[in-house]
Amino acid sequence: LFDFKIILGKNGVPVAENFQLEQSTIADMIQAGQVRVRTLYLSVDPYMRCRMNEDTGSDYLLPWQLSEVADGGGIGVVEESKHDNLAKGDFVTSFSWPWQTVAILDGSLLQKLVPQLVNGRLSYFLGAAGITGLTALLGIKEKGHVTVGANQTMVVSGAAGACGSLAGQIGRLEGCSRVVGIAGTDEKCSILVQEMGFDAAINYKKGNVAEQLRELCPGGVDVYFDNVGGDISDTVISQMNQNSHIILCGQISQYNKDVPYPPPLPPDIEKIQKERNITRERFLVLNYMDKQEASILQLCQWIQEGKLKV
């Protein structure tokens, strides 16, 4: 079997030398309650940069340990089972799946998947019908305060990413009348508008973002789904309306820096936030796991109906 290991570092961009790939052997026998699985899919996500620090900056994320196998969201197929509820051929998932080709896992920590819910596209359970989709849907429902018929404008940064592309579509499904995305290439912007149903998209690497936002959001911004932080977010916040809402999903522009989470806003932007009573509360999808089952069924229904493009 192959497994994947990492070396830690707080500041700077991860490079190939921070990782190592090893070939090793696995036990022949599995114990009662265990299953042997073959890995099919792994989810490589921005939050993992924080796990490369000894202090991840959050109490719910454990750091990856030096010379230990990395882990994260994964999906596999059961090859042998000594667990009562799992059989050979079952598809299973876990949020702490080891990055190795074959693994022996505790069956009670695995969730059984129903491929029909995602039209057989198993990988969707790590994306649109998994934590990514849950983050977009619950972020909007819990922190976005979207109201049908209220003529709200939503802006999404990192809009062509896994979470952002879903958030824009879900914002529309939940009742936003206008959705504008911010992304980093013309191709991404084109896909957002032509395939994902965004009203408009801004390539932040071209032209003046503040001017384009003013033009595309003439009534200001009511809901901001923030994946990036930094200068882009400062620009959006400066155009937000009174009593508007920031969904603090991620701050990827800051992950290679030694700063607290969420990063503090510059004084002039913080002043705007306070004067306009803009909410900016930390959002953590794991705090809403009581709503997980119903939310995943909703996401699967939208996928099956073609209302949510992946």
Side-chain angles (χ1 to χ4, degrees), residues 257-274:
K257 302 172 187 172
D258 184 7
V259 292
Y261 189 91
L265 295 171
D268 55 329
I269 303 299
E270 189 176 16
K271 186 167 182 270
I272 289 171
Q273 184 211 342
K274 285 181 173 158

Side-chain angles (χ1 to χ4, degrees), residues 251-307:
Q251 302 281 278
I252 196 170
S253 69
Q254 309 298 304
Y255 289 170
N256 291 322
K257 302 172 187 172
D258 184 7
V259 292
Y261 189 91
L265 295 171
D268 55 329
I269 303 299
E270 189 176 16
K271 186 167 182 270
I272 289 171
Q273 184 211 342
K274 285 181 173 158
E275 284 174 353
R276 296 184 196 166
N277 192 35
I278 302 168
T279 63
R280 182 181 184 256
E281 301 156 347
R282 184 169 190 171
F283 168 70
L284 179 58
V285 71
L286 300 177
N287 288 343
Y288 301 95
M289 285 297 103
D290 57 318
K291 299 181 177 176
Q292 176 184 358
E293 200 174 331
S295 299
I296 284 185
L297 288 173
Q298 173 68 86
L299 292 162
C300 290
Q301 186 184 332
W302 281 336
I303 291 167
Q304 288 173 341
E305 292 171 352
K307 291 179 179 174

Side-chain angles (χ1 to χ4, degrees), residues 226-248:
D226 185 5
N227 284 306
V228 303
D231 295 342
I232 296 287
S233 291
D234 297 345
T235 303
V236 176
I237 293 167
S238 66
Q239 297 193 31
M240 292 185 76
N241 293 327
Q242 196 73 28
N243 304 317
S244 55
H245 305 283
I246 298 168
I247 301 163
L248 200 57

Side-chain angles (χ1 to χ4, degrees), residues 60-81:
Y60 65 93
L61 276 185
L62 292 172
W64 279 332
Q65 298 299 313
L66 279 173
S67 299
E68 293 292 324
V69 180
D71 69 319
I75 289 172
V77 61
V78 175
E79 292 191 324
E80 186 186 353
S81 174

Side-chain angles (χ1 to χ4, degrees), residues 157-203:
S157 57
C163 204
S165 61
L166 296 169
Q169 296 176 80
I170 291 168
R172 166 86 78 229
L173 289 166
E174 287 293 305
C176 285
S177 58
R178 187 161 182 74
V179 179
V180 176
I182 302 174
T185 70
D186 288 344
E187 184 189 11
K188 288 178 181 179
C189 290
S190 161
I191 288 169
L192 290 173
V193 174
Q194 290 172 18
E195 295 180 31
M196 304 285 181
F198 284 62
D199 292 285
I202 295 167
N203 180 350

